[in-house]
Structure formats: C-alpha cells, structure tokens
Amino acid sequence: MSGGRGPLPRLHVVTTDEVAGAAGFLDAATEVFEAGGPRVALHLRHRTADARLYRQAEELGRVAGETRSLLLISRRADIALAAGADGVQLGTGALPAGHVRALLGPAAWLGVSIHGAEEAPAAGGAADYAMLGAVYATPSHTGRTPLGAEELRRVARRTALPVIAIGGIGSRRVAACLRAGAYGVAVVRAAWATPRPGRAVEELLESLEDAVP
C-alpha cells in the first residue's frame, strides 16, 4: 500500500482490457501517477490471466507508493491483498461489500458501483464511496440510457458517501458533475485516448480544482 490513508482523490482513472493489455501501458500508467500524485486513484480493471493481473498490480503498486497515489483493483480482493494495493472497486455481482471489508481490513479503500438512486448505499456501511454510471453517453455502454445530471443529483442527496461520477466525462463536464453533487469523477477515454495521459490528468485536475465549491 502507498502509505497512510489520506483523503479520497477526486480523480479516478480507470483502465479497460484494451488499455491494460496495450504495449507501453505501464509507462502510461506511470505518467498518470506522476501527474496526479495523491490527487489521483488508478483503477486496474481488466479480465486477464491472474498472473498477469498480479504482476501489473505489483508493479503499479510500487509506483503508486512512490507518488503517494492510490491503486485500486476492480473486483479482485485476492489480487489487491497479494499485491498490496490500496483497495478494491466492487462491480455488479461482486462479493458483498461487508465480506470484502472483512478481508481487506479497515485501512483499505472500498468502492461500490451503482446505477441509480435506488442502489445508493447508506452511510456507515462497509463502503467508503459509490461510483455512479453511466452519467453521460459512452461507447462502452451503447445499449444503456445515460443517467444524466438529475439522477446524479438524486443519488448525491440520498447517500452521505462521496459519489464518483463515471461515463462520458471529460474536462468540460467536470463542473456539471460537481454541481450535481458528485465528489469527483472517473474517466477512461479522457485519460487513455491520448498520447499524453499525464497531461490529460493535469487538465482534469485543473478542472476539478476550479469546480470544487
């Protein structure tokens, strides 16, 4: 783990199978960590062989520790524990948050993915934050109607947990998400679909700083 538990970052950068499997991924992820430092969390999310996922998590965990960033593993509490990651992001159909918390202990970060106000978790449970999506249209969820800012607002009103908005978000939509009650944002293409992911992270962080009340 990267050290003592500080505040939850407002910027979450999420990988996909394609991103994590690309040549040069570890270099690109290092750019993200170095640009964001303690203000960024990187979510390692891809369905690959366990050994490869573990090796990537172990290497990224080292860089996260050096930059005081967070490394979160999607769904795989076992990989997170083995690699010394900072926590886990639970998706739909994953183990119950309470069970994962018991495995990880109180110091780990634990997020849950939700898709509407009816799923908004109560404060005081096992999770530290909720990730809501898809807020805007995104190519990765072409068959799903975007939730929109109004649903984000309902979720934020319904839970005291920090809400991280995901789905179709870039620098220009950061302010709208925070006005609707989001604590922060998560991005995929906005960070990775560029030859300079570090610069993309800097721009997103600037937008977040400008939008924070």
Side-chain angles (χ1 to χ4, degrees):
M1 290 191 179
S2 58
R5 177 161 154 160
L8 178 69
R10 293 185 185 270
L11 178 60
H12 294 237
V13 179
V14 181
T15 72
T16 63
D17 292 331
E18 182 180 9
V19 168
F25 165 63
L26 292 177
D27 289 338
T30 297
E31 276 192 48
V32 168
F33 282 135
E34 290 177 344
R39 298 180 295 167
V40 68
L42 189 146
H43 293 234
L44 188 58
R45 182 183 74 177
H46 63 111
R47 299 173 181 84
T48 186
D50 289 355
R52 183 179 184 186
L53 177 58
Y54 170 75
R55 287 195 299 270
Q56 285 189 336
E58 190 175 42
E59 175 64 20
L60 292 176
R62 181 186 63 77
V63 183
E66 292 172 353
T67 57
R68 296 185 297 120
S69 310
L70 293 187
L71 173 65
L72 306 178
I73 309 299
S74 178
R75 302 174 68 93
R76 297 295 301 271
D78 57 339
I79 297 291
L81 279 169
D86 295 290
V88 173
Q89 173 68 39
L90 296 177
T92 303
L95 288 171
H99 294 0
V100 177
R101 171 61 71 198
L103 290 170
L104 297 179
W109 287 101
L110 182 58
V112 292
S113 296
I114 62 173
H115 305 95
E118 70 282 356
E119 299 178 17
D128 296 301
Y129 67 92
M131 184 175 287
L132 174 73
V135 176
Y136 298 102
T138 171
S140 61
H141 293 88
T142 54
R144 184 182 299 171
T145 301
L147 297 171
E150 189 54 42
E151 185 67 8
L152 171 57
R153 186 172 289 107
R154 282 194 287 269
V155 170
R157 288 173 177 168
R158 199 160 174 175
T159 180
L161 293 179
V163 177
I164 306 296
I166 189 171
I169 296 171
S171 295
R172 295 182 179 180
R173 284 175 166 163
V174 166
C177 290
L178 266 63
R179 284 197 301 269
Y183 171 85
V185 299
V187 301
V188 181
R189 289 179 300 119
W192 303 115
T194 168
R196 299 179 62 193
R199 179 55 190 153
V201 164
E202 290 171 356
E203 292 175 354
L204 287 158
L205 288 169
E206 289 171 3
S207 297
L208 280 162
E209 290 172 0
D210 290 342
V212 171

